[in-house]
Amino acid sequence: MRFKPLSMLLPFFFVLIFLPGVSHGGSSLLISKTRIVFEKRYRADTVLLKNTGDLTGKYRVFLVNKKMGTDGHISDIVNPSPEEMAVKKMIRFSPRLVELKPGATQTIRIMARKPRDLASGEYRCHLTFQGRPQTSVSENSETAPGQIGVSFSPILEYSIPIIIRHGQVRAAAQIGDISFLTHQKTGMSKLKIILKREGNRSLYGDMEIFITKNQKIEKRIGLAKGIALYTTTPLRPVNLPIELSGWGAEQKMLPLLVRFTESKKYGGDQVAEKNIQLELAAN
């Protein structure tokens, strides 16, 4: 089985998380991808880990069933159903324990094995990287004479979704209600946008807000990348800050275009748009 090659020359594509090590300093873990999608004949992939800290880091790698709520928050499923548990059996990965010295890298190999009787649809679980707890024992000035101080490090983790698509899958994106919000203390403006989804697969893409004039785009005033909407919920809010300085000084209404564009990299083909008139009288 051939694995997709991963370039070592593009470090800015990595996701950086900090997983503290022992009491002094820590290890910093770089993760090369934010999500993995298996579809059609694509059955294998890799994730590269790199320790950019100054101490050796130890990490546990495992699968977790997670869900997305209507507020967009992702949380663990406490009591997974048999169908949700079955998703884990379709995914093979190694290694499961990783120890990285400063500057060292480790490749995690992932494979998807779909059963023959698998129904059409999208299946998902999360690959989780967890810093293993470590303790250090020392004698210092803060402990009483003859006593030993024990320092504990917190357990931090980061998860990326693994999505398996099989058979006929489709999704339709739609922009729902849009609300204009202003923070009373900071004066920061934002739009609360309801992203809707139909079909049997998830959405993943970018949300943009443009000022328009005569139905043509003048300027982008808001951007949120990597907006996901999973199959566990039909809609979610997206709170997107917008930059209105210098606009609306002589007008009460500002024409805006709200656009959601799916990422083609992960098999997306949806574009959803909505034109609104933003009232500026209160600004």
Side-chain angles (χ1 to χ4, degrees), residues 61-237:
V61 187
F62 55 97
L63 295 173
V64 178
N65 293 109
K66 292 179 178 288
K67 63 181 179 180
M68 174 178 284
T70 54
D71 60 353
H73 179 69
I74 297 176
S75 59
D76 292 353
I77 298 177
V78 179
N79 296 308
S81 66
E83 292 77 12
E84 291 166 334
M85 292 295 293
V87 179
K88 292 184 177 181
K89 297 181 180 179
M90 290 190 281
I91 299 173
R92 300 287 187 269
F93 65 94
S94 66
R96 296 173 181 265
L97 292 175
V98 177
E99 181 172 340
L100 293 176
K101 295 181 179 180
T105 61
Q106 173 68 58
T107 298
I108 306 296
R109 290 176 168 82
I110 306 161
M111 297 179 62
R113 295 179 179 179
K114 298 183 288 187
R116 294 182 179 180
D117 59 347
L118 185 65
S120 294
E122 182 177 284
Y123 304 85
R124 172 179 43 84
C125 66
H126 281 69
L127 186 66
T128 300
F129 307 91
Q130 183 185 80
R132 301 186 66 184
Q134 301 183 50
T135 61
S136 63
V137 180
S138 63
E139 293 188 21
N140 54 54
S141 59
E142 296 182 359
T143 58
Q147 294 183 348
I148 299 177
V150 180
S151 175
F152 294 90
S153 297
I155 301 175
L156 299 181
E157 64 181 43
Y158 183 81
S159 297
I160 63 174
I162 298 179
I163 294 174
I164 300 175
R165 292 174 181 155
H166 178 69
Q168 298 296 320
V169 293
R170 59 170 294 275
Q174 181 182 357
I175 303 295
D177 294 339
I178 301 175
S179 305
F180 176 60
L181 306 174
T182 301
H183 195 281
Q184 293 182 351
K185 293 184 178 180
T186 64
M188 179 181 295
S189 300
K190 64 181 179 179
L191 292 185
K192 180 180 180 182
I193 305 162
I194 302 300
L195 177 63
K196 297 183 177 181
R197 179 199 58 81
E198 293 182 351
N200 61 348
R201 75 162 174 83
S202 59
L203 299 173
Y204 181 79
D206 301 337
M207 189 79 75
E208 298 173 283
I209 303 174
F210 303 93
I211 293 177
T212 62
K213 183 177 182 181
N214 298 326
Q215 299 183 341
K216 294 184 179 180
I217 292 176
E218 288 278 299
K219 181 182 179 181
R220 186 173 68 187
I221 60 171
L223 170 64
K225 292 187 174 182
I227 302 299
L229 181 53
Y230 296 133
T231 54
T232 50
T233 179
L235 57 86
R236 61 162 293 186

Side-chain angles (χ1 to χ4, degrees), residues 9-15:
L9 301 178
L10 299 175
F12 47 83
F13 283 133
F14 281 66
V15 176

Side-chain angles (χ1 to χ4, degrees), residues 4-14 32-33 46 48:
K4 184 179 179 181
L6 183 64
S7 173
M8 295 284 290
L9 301 178
L10 299 175
F12 47 83
F13 283 133
F14 281 66
S32 63
K33 296 181 179 178
T46 60
L48 188 66

Side-chain angles (χ1 to χ4, degrees), residues 22-38:
V22 290
S23 57
H24 300 287
S27 59
S28 302
L29 184 66
L30 287 169
I31 303 177
S32 63
K33 296 181 179 178
T34 58
R35 65 201 293 106
I36 294 174
V37 177
F38 293 118

